[in-house]
Amino acid sequence: MSLHKSLPRTLWTFGQPRPSLTSSSPADGISSRPPLPAMAILPLLLCLLPLAPASSPPQPASPNPCPRRCRCQTQSLPLSVLCPGAGLLFVPPSLDRRAAELRLADNFIATVRRRDLANMTGLLHLSLSRNTIRHVAAGAFSDLRALRALHLDGNRLTSLGEGQLRGLVNLRHLILSNNQLAALAAGALDDCAETLEDLDLSYNNLEQLPWEALGRLGNVNTLGLDHNLLASVPAGAFSRLHKLARLDMTSNRLTTIPPDPLFSRLPLLARPRGSPASALVLAFGGNPLHCNCELVWLRRLAREDDLEACASPPALGGRYFWAVGEEEFVCEPPVVTHRSPPLAVPAGRPAALRCRAVGDPEPRVRWVSPQGRLLGNSSRARAFPNGTLELLVTEPGDGGIFTCIAANAAGEATAAVELTVGPPPPPQLANSTSCDPPRDGEPDALTPPSAASASASAKAAEAAPPTDRGVQVMEHGATAALVQWPDQRPIPGIRMYQIQYNSSADDILVYRMIPAESSSFLLTDLASGRTYDLCVLAVYEDGATGLTATRPVGCNRFSTEPALRPCGTPHAPFLGGTMIIALGGVIVASVLVFIFVLLMRYKVHGGQPPGKTKASAPVSSVCSQTNGALGPTPAPPAPEPTAPRAHTVVQLDCEPWGPSHEPTGP
């Protein structure tokens, strides 16, 4: 049989047990024939192979199916799970733990739990942007040791603790913008400090930052701090960020930017386009910059013009930062406007030394002890930023001259405060009720200084620093004082006068702006019985520089009259004893009255025979006083005229008038 005749038979039997080629079935009606040679069978098999149905090799089943509403790319490694905008309320539990990319952006996930991302050791990219995440459990990312990028922007995080980013030892990109972050823990970035390249903290509510932790990000290239509430940056905060290429501090509350070695090493640019690789793109617009001598270093650096503007001082407000001349960035040296008068305190009592100074920039106040030591916070003393030094417990050796030093970038000023520490005070009676003698006149009336107050003012003026004697306090009372100063109109360009004053018991320096044509002013908001330091400054326009400057006119010290003090009221122990005595007296009197009433009733009812009872007054009905006896009641005798006397109230048994009660004859 030829090959062409046997081909249809072979096709018909494909897929069934093929008969042997060496024999023929009897049903076929074909006689036996010799077997075909092997070389003849091989072309036949090659022709039949294309007719076989295509079948793919079996694939291993995935351990986790693709989550609902997600798309999974599992045909080749690395695996990707894409669930953007899927309406998810939580991280899907059926994630393939072998995934290298997980995108869960634009959902409604509120919490990232510890078990949500467990065992995903091969994950490289995680996006949780634009969800409603308020809480990230501590250690939620601890298994993601291979993660390179983490996007948490557009959520509702309010704080970031030390354990929430634990385990991210290979993280390079951390995006935390557009949250509500108000606090960032100092150790939050410890695990990724050596690998982090991009850190975005923009559009949050950060008022403070762990600057020491940020200074350890040696590989950071981009740092976004814009649109926060930062009011200050410590000096040298960026000095160790040698790879920093872009720093954005736009729209914060910065009034000044301290000099930093990083800014002097690299050229500063405003925009990244066309910048060389070694340049630093610095953006700090939208801040209320105070353009004084502290920003001269920044003005001297070569930088493109940008939109930064000055907010103060008033002469430069609103002008472009880079358009202001270097000579206009000026500072004012400090001037001590208030200091404590000589103090005398007994040993063992606290003492507060106060020193106030003004200048531009605001001066920093320090204190030096009589022994020449710089004072600060200790177990016996506390130094406050407002210039107050508080000695908690004074000792006899603490007396002497304390020196107040006020310093800023333009200079420094000093003032002396004398402290005398005396013996401990004698014990005082607790129930003292003494009062001051009355004074004639109203306390608010202005009166010329008396001889005693003039002597005290003279002694205080001797202790005060030498000042111009032109400022005088002509009259003063308990709450008012009339201040006068000589005419300063010969000084050209005077715009106004400024009065600065404060009392020894107050921490607030009060300012008053007076028109240029005035030479006196009445202060009406003073406190009685206090010593005030007052200075008058002339505000004028400097013709050489065109800037507003101040010139001291003079200072003075005066004391207001003490107000009338009412007599002391009895102390609480005295009032308590009085109330106890009065209450006891009321109780005793009530008991005596009760006993007296009982005695009277006993005397009326049981002490007198019934026949001897006399009526004290006529009545309109028949009433009888009974003593419990039976039988008819005898008629009472006719009343005898007697002198009026006090009636005794007794209980009478009265019955209505009737025939059975008609009086009988005698």
Tab-separated table of all heavy atoms in Angstrom, residues 4-30:
chain	number	residue	atom	x	y	z
A	4	HIS	N	0.371	7.534	0.146
A	4	HIS	CA	-0.775	8.436	-0.078
A	4	HIS	C	-2.083	7.777	0.302
A	4	HIS	O	-3.020	8.453	0.726
A	4	HIS	CB	-0.797	8.881	-1.543
A	4	HIS	CG	0.401	9.674	-1.925
A	4	HIS	ND1	0.586	10.968	-1.564
A	4	HIS	CD2	1.500	9.332	-2.661
A	4	HIS	CE1	1.722	11.432	-2.045
A	4	HIS	NE2	2.313	10.425	-2.729
A	5	LYS	N	-2.184	6.478	0.095
A	5	LYS	CA	-3.419	5.790	0.454
A	5	LYS	C	-3.541	5.582	1.958
A	5	LYS	O	-4.633	5.498	2.490
A	5	LYS	CB	-3.484	4.440	-0.243
A	5	LYS	CG	-3.630	4.570	-1.761
A	5	LYS	CD	-3.744	3.209	-2.402
A	5	LYS	CE	-3.939	3.329	-3.922
A	5	LYS	NZ	-4.054	1.980	-4.587
A	6	SER	N	-2.467	5.486	2.668
A	6	SER	CA	-2.529	5.284	4.136
A	6	SER	C	-2.629	6.568	4.930
A	6	SER	O	-2.884	6.542	6.120
A	6	SER	CB	-1.286	4.513	4.601
A	6	SER	OG	-0.131	5.280	4.363
A	7	LEU	N	-2.449	7.743	4.346
A	7	LEU	CA	-2.465	9.013	5.093
A	7	LEU	C	-3.829	9.328	5.687
A	7	LEU	O	-3.940	9.670	6.858
A	7	LEU	CB	-1.987	10.141	4.177
A	7	LEU	CG	-1.920	11.530	4.814
A	7	LEU	CD1	-0.979	11.494	6.025
A	7	LEU	CD2	-1.467	12.563	3.780
A	8	PRO	N	-4.955	9.188	4.913
A	8	PRO	CA	-6.256	9.469	5.537
A	8	PRO	C	-6.532	8.571	6.708
A	8	PRO	O	-7.126	8.982	7.692
A	8	PRO	CB	-7.241	9.257	4.412
A	8	PRO	CG	-6.453	9.453	3.180
A	8	PRO	CD	-5.088	8.935	3.475
A	9	ARG	N	-6.161	7.384	6.654
A	9	ARG	CA	-6.368	6.461	7.773
A	9	ARG	C	-5.612	6.917	8.997
A	9	ARG	O	-6.109	6.859	10.114
A	9	ARG	CB	-5.904	5.058	7.349
A	9	ARG	CG	-6.049	4.002	8.418
A	9	ARG	CD	-7.506	3.706	8.682
A	9	ARG	NE	-7.642	2.632	9.648
A	9	ARG	CZ	-8.791	2.195	10.097
A	9	ARG	NH1	-9.930	2.761	9.669
A	9	ARG	NH2	-8.854	1.199	10.967
A	10	THR	N	-4.459	7.429	8.787
A	10	THR	CA	-3.663	7.893	9.924
A	10	THR	C	-4.278	9.125	10.558
A	10	THR	O	-4.309	9.281	11.771
A	10	THR	CB	-2.230	8.169	9.455
A	10	THR	OG1	-1.733	7.014	8.814
A	10	THR	CG2	-1.348	8.562	10.605
A	11	LEU	N	-4.795	10.045	9.748
A	11	LEU	CA	-5.437	11.243	10.296
A	11	LEU	C	-6.698	10.898	11.062
A	11	LEU	O	-7.036	11.510	12.056
A	11	LEU	CB	-5.769	12.209	9.157
A	11	LEU	CG	-4.552	12.808	8.415
A	11	LEU	CD1	-5.031	13.676	7.257
A	11	LEU	CD2	-3.711	13.615	9.384
A	12	TRP	N	-7.413	9.927	10.612
A	12	TRP	CA	-8.655	9.558	11.303
A	12	TRP	C	-8.375	8.982	12.671
A	12	TRP	O	-9.148	9.183	13.609
A	12	TRP	CB	-9.384	8.548	10.424
A	12	TRP	CG	-10.668	8.049	11.035
A	12	TRP	CD1	-10.862	6.906	11.712
A	12	TRP	CD2	-11.904	8.715	11.007
A	12	TRP	NE1	-12.146	6.781	12.119
A	12	TRP	CE2	-12.829	7.921	11.691
A	12	TRP	CE3	-12.330	9.949	10.446
A	12	TRP	CZ2	-14.164	8.277	11.833
A	12	TRP	CZ3	-13.657	10.282	10.603
A	12	TRP	CH2	-14.567	9.466	11.307
A	13	THR	N	-7.332	8.300	12.804
A	13	THR	CA	-7.030	7.652	14.077
A	13	THR	C	-6.146	8.504	14.986
A	13	THR	O	-5.659	8.018	15.987
A	13	THR	CB	-6.309	6.327	13.819
A	13	THR	OG1	-5.111	6.590	13.100
A	13	THR	CG2	-7.201	5.385	13.008
A	14	PHE	N	-5.984	9.819	14.681
A	14	PHE	CA	-5.153	10.665	15.549
A	14	PHE	C	-5.866	10.913	16.873
A	14	PHE	O	-7.054	11.190	16.920
A	14	PHE	CB	-4.861	11.990	14.843
A	14	PHE	CG	-3.944	12.875	15.633
A	14	PHE	CD1	-2.585	12.639	15.595
A	14	PHE	CD2	-4.446	13.891	16.410
A	14	PHE	CE1	-1.749	13.458	16.315
A	14	PHE	CE2	-3.608	14.690	17.131
A	14	PHE	CZ	-2.249	14.484	17.080
A	15	GLY	N	-5.145	10.814	17.872
A	15	GLY	CA	-5.716	10.995	19.212
A	15	GLY	C	-6.239	9.724	19.798
A	15	GLY	O	-6.690	9.713	20.939
A	16	GLN	N	-6.254	8.615	19.054
A	16	GLN	CA	-6.673	7.323	19.577
A	16	GLN	C	-5.462	6.412	19.605
A	16	GLN	O	-4.425	6.700	19.001
A	16	GLN	CB	-7.766	6.725	18.690
A	16	GLN	CG	-9.027	7.612	18.612
A	16	GLN	CD	-10.059	7.010	17.705
A	16	GLN	OE1	-9.838	5.922	17.148
A	16	GLN	NE2	-11.184	7.717	17.563
A	17	PRO	N	-5.592	5.250	20.275
A	17	PRO	CA	-4.446	4.328	20.276
A	17	PRO	C	-4.125	3.894	18.859
A	17	PRO	O	-4.983	3.397	18.120
A	17	PRO	CB	-4.941	3.157	21.129
A	17	PRO	CG	-5.993	3.764	21.997
A	17	PRO	CD	-6.659	4.820	21.175
A	18	ARG	N	-2.932	4.212	18.502
A	18	ARG	CA	-2.530	3.951	17.127
A	18	ARG	C	-2.171	2.485	16.961
A	18	ARG	O	-1.418	1.930	17.754
A	18	ARG	CB	-1.316	4.830	16.793
A	18	ARG	CG	-0.917	4.772	15.313
A	18	ARG	CD	0.154	5.783	15.023
A	18	ARG	NE	1.283	5.593	15.891
A	18	ARG	CZ	2.345	6.410	15.911
A	18	ARG	NH1	2.362	7.478	15.156
A	18	ARG	NH2	3.357	6.156	16.712
A	19	PRO	N	-2.711	1.839	15.840
A	19	PRO	CA	-2.360	0.417	15.628
A	19	PRO	C	-0.917	0.260	15.209
A	19	PRO	O	-0.288	1.208	14.743
A	19	PRO	CB	-3.317	-0.002	14.511
A	19	PRO	CG	-3.649	1.269	13.794
A	19	PRO	CD	-3.638	2.346	14.835
A	20	SER	N	-0.474	-0.870	15.448
A	20	SER	CA	0.922	-1.148	15.118
A	20	SER	C	1.130	-1.102	13.614
A	20	SER	O	0.303	-1.549	12.823
A	20	SER	CB	1.324	-2.550	15.657
A	20	SER	OG	2.606	-2.860	15.241
A	21	LEU	N	2.248	-0.549	13.252
A	21	LEU	CA	2.571	-0.427	11.849
A	21	LEU	C	3.102	-1.730	11.263
A	21	LEU	O	3.324	-1.837	10.069
A	21	LEU	CB	3.604	0.687	11.651
A	21	LEU	CG	3.121	2.099	12.013
A	21	LEU	CD1	4.242	3.094	11.773
A	21	LEU	CD2	1.872	2.474	11.224
A	22	THR	N	3.317	-2.672	12.074
A	22	THR	CA	3.852	-3.956	11.571
A	22	THR	C	2.796	-4.976	11.240
A	22	THR	O	3.082	-6.037	10.723
A	22	THR	CB	4.811	-4.547	12.621
A	22	THR	OG1	4.072	-4.749	13.825
A	22	THR	CG2	5.960	-3.581	12.871
A	23	SER	N	1.516	-4.672	11.587
A	23	SER	CA	0.427	-5.621	11.309
A	23	SER	C	-0.812	-4.853	10.957
A	23	SER	O	-0.919	-3.664	11.270
A	23	SER	CB	0.179	-6.526	12.522
A	23	SER	OG	-0.211	-5.753	13.618
A	24	SER	N	-1.763	-5.484	10.367
A	24	SER	CA	-3.014	-4.854	9.986
A	24	SER	C	-4.165	-5.578	10.647
A	24	SER	O	-4.086	-6.773	10.912
A	24	SER	CB	-3.176	-4.870	8.473
A	24	SER	OG	-3.216	-6.199	8.012
A	25	SER	N	-5.212	-4.813	10.907
A	25	SER	CA	-6.391	-5.394	11.547
A	25	SER	C	-7.166	-6.207	10.542
A	25	SER	O	-7.286	-5.840	9.373
A	25	SER	CB	-7.268	-4.273	12.112
A	25	SER	OG	-8.454	-4.803	12.616
A	26	PRO	N	-7.777	-7.285	10.917
A	26	PRO	CA	-8.557	-8.081	9.974
A	26	PRO	C	-9.758	-7.347	9.465
A	26	PRO	O	-10.205	-7.567	8.361
A	26	PRO	CB	-8.957	-9.296	10.808
A	26	PRO	CG	-7.991	-9.353	11.914
A	26	PRO	CD	-7.580	-7.984	12.181
A	27	ALA	N	-10.296	-6.450	10.279
A	27	ALA	CA	-11.478	-5.720	9.823
A	27	ALA	C	-11.154	-4.814	8.671
A	27	ALA	O	-12.049	-4.386	7.950
A	27	ALA	CB	-12.082	-4.942	10.988
A	28	ASP	N	-9.947	-4.393	8.511
A	28	ASP	CA	-9.591	-3.478	7.427
A	28	ASP	C	-9.611	-4.169	6.084
A	28	ASP	O	-9.632	-3.517	5.042
A	28	ASP	CB	-8.204	-2.894	7.681
A	28	ASP	CG	-8.232	-2.006	8.899
A	28	ASP	OD1	-9.342	-1.525	9.307
A	28	ASP	OD2	-7.154	-1.760	9.447
A	29	GLY	N	-9.513	-5.426	6.087
A	29	GLY	CA	-9.472	-6.130	4.824
A	29	GLY	C	-8.159	-5.979	4.087
A	29	GLY	O	-8.099	-6.125	2.875
A	30	ILE	N	-7.158	-5.652	4.789
A	30	ILE	CA	-5.851	-5.411	4.186
A	30	ILE	C	-4.943	-6.537	4.628
A	30	ILE	O	-4.877	-6.862	5.821
A	30	ILE	CB	-5.280	-4.062	4.603
A	30	ILE	CG1	-6.262	-2.931	4.214
A	30	ILE	CG2	-3.924	-3.809	3.966
A	30	ILE	CD1	-5.849	-1.580	4.674
